[in-house]
Amino acid sequence: MTTALLSNAAIDALHRTLALQGQAFQAAPFPSLADRRRDLKALRLALQRWQDPLARAMSEDFGRRSESECKMLDVLGPALQIDHALAHLRRWMRSERRGVDWMFLGNRARVVYQPKGVVGVIAAWNFPVVESVGPLVTAIAAGNRVMIKMSEFSPRCTEVLRRMLAEVFAADQVAVFDGGVEIGRAFAGLPLDHVVFTGSPAVGREIMRAASVNLTPVTLELGGKSPAIVGRSAAMGTVARSIAHGKLFNSGQACVAPDYALVPPERIAEFVAATVREFHRMVPDPVQDPHYTSMASERHADRVRELLVDAVAKGASVTSCGAGDGGRIIPLQIVTGVSPQMRIMQEELFNPILPVLACDSIDEAVAFVTARPRPLALYYYGNDSGEARRLTRDVPAGGMTINDWAWHVFQCDLPFGGSGNSGMGSWRGPEGFRALSHAKSVFTVRRWFPIHLFRPPYGSHIQQLIMKQFLGHGAAGHAELTAGAPSEPPPVQKQGPAR
């Protein structure tokens, strides 16, 4: 069968599944609390049973990925998210009473959180389970049906995930798809009720453009250059240990990895030496250590080398934490003497390169970060509460961790999402539940309430009293607006032909 025929068949399958899930949603538009809890518990048990096959599949897709890291983030993360949802779901589902305007006192206003319908999830390759099952958890908690599009770079993980989810859910509730760019474009263009996408800002724009044809709302978890700001009060050993871990975790192939560090100029040498030392303490031999992750492909590895060549050609110095294997195993590379013209400062890195720039004050750090596209994450190291407050208040970022990296992402009750170039919306926590629900306004008029007073014929005495009560007299304001204006319009001047 030709590629075109395969692609057409896959696109047809997308439309059939959407129709199937849409019909199932119409038949049961508001799953009960018991139904949602049952489904979440079944998914939790499946993650526990399938943790080893999932970790092996992710490692094989990468070439070599730490199976411990696979379980720690991709399996444990969604499992904890389920536990949190189970603990709070009753409260999330409860309708909320809202205030009633004074002139309607005695009536009732509330917000009911309804399921949206069919939610589409487009997952990235770097954390394929957490970025597919994570939104799935929230979507199920909100009562939705879910279609998942996995990355073409995660074929083994996709197959294992498809088998795992098929044990728990029928195709009219959850379905998994794979495929390349054409299938992804077709998926984003489906008339879904919501789309959750994780990936780069460039692809996020394409997803948003495709979804806009159907006015489909989107949640975008993108990326950006997340800064690590080191204050003078910071303990350098703590800083180096944290940032080294942030860059070796998944070999820096994480949207919230520290992208670059801003360090006081007199502490840069100390910072570099400490970071090299802490990297070697955690990973003495990256080539032989099975817990050190390779770059996901030759293309990604080649890009690391190209970025370093570009930086050195423009005057930078590189301190390497090891030679690697000459292929896809690349240890941490610390770059100093960095200038804005270098590619490492113009592109999101998503790899084990760490640019280090001199930064003399918190004012300089704020100016530097805010002059650039908004980051997905912001990190501050130091014991100066004033600096921490300043960064928290004045620097827009998706989220922030103080004195470590990324732990705000693991807090199930916190939203996680970007702003501007780094994304929009969140699929985690109570904010995620609301994003994947429709907040329906419900106003109940009591039988005894004189609502007829607001109907024609207009101009009744009670209507005039109401308008006077809430708007006051308009004559004075009108007089002020018209003061000094001529009582009659000026005479019309005849004009000649237009030039």
Side-chain angles (χ1 to χ4, degrees):
M1 186 177 293
T2 66
T3 303
L5 289 175
L6 286 171
S7 179
N8 289 336
I11 293 173
D12 288 344
L14 292 178
H15 286 277
R16 287 196 305 272
T17 302
L18 177 59
L20 180 69
Q21 293 198 357
Q23 292 167 4
F25 176 74
Q26 289 176 5
F30 198 94
S32 67
L33 172 64
D35 289 340
R36 301 184 201 193
R37 290 176 60 86
R38 178 202 64 214
D39 290 341
L40 290 172
K41 288 178 179 179
L43 180 56
R44 177 69 161 82
L45 183 59
L47 285 170
Q48 180 180 337
R49 292 180 54 247
W50 286 78
Q51 59 180 301
D52 292 324
L54 285 169
R56 283 195 298 269
M58 284 183 275
S59 182
E60 290 168 2
D61 282 335
F62 263 74
R64 188 181 83 186
R65 183 183 172 194
S66 168
E67 293 190 19
S68 295
E69 290 182 355
C70 290
K71 290 184 181 182
M72 186 185 303
L73 184 65
D74 278 272
V75 182
L76 178 60
L80 294 177
Q81 187 186 345
I82 291 173
D83 293 343
H84 182 263
L86 289 171
H88 297 277
L89 187 54
R90 183 186 298 275
R91 177 169 55 86
W92 292 349
M93 290 178 63
R94 189 179 300 139
S95 63
E96 294 182 357
R97 292 186 62 181
R98 295 293 177 90
V100 176
D101 288 345
W102 185 85
M103 69 172 66
F104 294 99
L105 284 179
N107 296 302
R108 183 184 178 198
R110 60 195 172 107
V111 173
V112 175
Y113 292 99
Q114 288 187 308
K116 283 194 169 182
V118 181
V119 172
V121 176
I122 305 175
W125 53 264
N126 59 324
F127 296 110
V129 175
V130 76
E131 290 166 0
S132 58
V133 177
L136 171 65
V137 170
T138 305
I140 290 173
N144 298 290
R145 313 266 160 171
V146 186
M147 294 172 62
I148 300 172
K149 162 63 174 68
M150 299 293 289
S151 170
E152 66 270 32
F153 300 112
S154 307
R156 297 171 183 84
C157 180
T158 298
E159 184 54 35
V160 174
L161 187 66
R162 180 184 286 118
R163 287 162 47 203
M164 182 192 85
L165 293 177
E167 283 190 357
V168 182
F169 304 105
D172 66 355
Q173 186 172 7
V174 178
V176 177
F177 300 88
D178 54 13
V181 174
E182 185 177 355
I183 302 302
R185 188 177 295 116
F187 188 97
L190 292 171
L192 296 155
D193 297 295
H194 198 103
V195 169
V196 177
F197 168 76
T198 303
S200 70
V203 179
R205 292 185 184 93
E206 296 298 321
I207 297 297
M208 196 169 183
R209 186 176 295 113
S212 69
V213 174
N214 297 299
L215 298 179
T216 301
V218 296
T219 296
L220 303 178
E221 183 183 301
L222 307 178
K225 297 183 73 64
S226 299
I229 299 171
V230 181
R232 284 189 167 84
S233 62
M236 196 55 74
T238 300
V239 175
R241 192 173 305 116
S242 169
I243 294 180
H245 178 235
K247 294 302 285 188
L248 71 82
F249 191 90
N250 212 38
S251 282
Q253 297 166 107
C255 57
V256 291
D259 191 281
Y260 63 92
L262 298 177
V263 182
E266 73 276 8
R267 303 197 72 182
I268 288 180
E270 178 190 5
F271 171 80
V272 172
T275 304
V276 172
R277 182 175 62 251
E278 293 300 333
F279 179 90
H280 285 146
R281 183 175 296 172
M282 288 182 277
V283 189
D285 186 353
V287 174
Q288 300 301 323
D289 191 337
H291 295 298
Y292 190 78
T293 299
S294 68
M295 302 307 297
S297 69
E298 292 293 343
R299 177 173 62 86
H300 290 88
D302 289 342
R303 178 173 173 267
V304 173
R305 289 182 275 270
E306 291 167 3
L307 290 170
L308 292 173
V309 168
D310 174 80
V312 171
K314 294 174 181 173
S317 299
V318 178
T319 301
S320 177
C321 291
D325 66 350
R328 290 162 61 184
I329 303 295
I330 303 178
L332 175 60
Q333 310 291 310
I334 305 174
V335 184
T336 53
V338 176
S339 65
Q341 295 75 28
M342 298 173 184
R343 286 180 59 193
I344 57 173
M345 289 309 298
Q346 296 176 353
E347 303 174 18
E348 181 183 5
L349 293 177
F350 221 68
N351 58 41
I353 297 175
L354 178 66
V356 181
L357 297 91
C359 183
D360 203 46
S361 68
I362 199 69
D363 290 337
E364 187 177 331
V366 170
F368 187 90
V369 176
T370 55
R372 288 158 174 78
R374 295 179 178 183
L376 183 58
L378 172 67
Y379 305 118
Y380 169 69
Y381 296 87
N383 300 309
D384 188 320
S385 59
E387 290 184 344
R389 283 195 302 270
R390 174 82 188 281
L391 293 170
T392 302
R393 182 193 65 197
D394 293 349
V395 179
M400 182 176 180
T401 291
I402 297 173
N403 285 322
D404 216 317
W405 80 283
W407 293 110
H408 66 282
V409 179
F410 290 83
Q411 311 311 308
C412 293
D413 205 39
L414 288 178
F416 172 62
S419 172
N421 190 69
S422 60
M424 63 176 67
S426 174
W427 50 260
R428 305 184 193 210
E431 287 81 3
F433 178 88
R434 293 188 177 187
L436 299 186
S437 302
H438 171 64
K440 176 191 264 187
S441 301
V442 180
F443 185 75
T444 303
V445 180
R446 304 296 189 186
R447 285 183 298 173
W448 49 263
F449 188 80
I451 197 71
H452 65 278
L453 296 176
F454 297 93
R455 299 179 181 137
Y458 297 126
S460 67
H461 181 64
I462 189 65
Q463 288 176 352
Q464 293 181 38
L465 287 176
I466 291 172
M467 297 297 283
K468 181 179 179 181
Q469 174 68 31
F470 288 95
L471 290 180
H473 293 285
H478 178 72
E480 292 174 3
L481 289 173
T482 58
S487 57
E488 295 182 1
V492 177
Q493 301 292 326
K494 294 185 178 179
Q495 297 181 352
R499 295 183 182 271

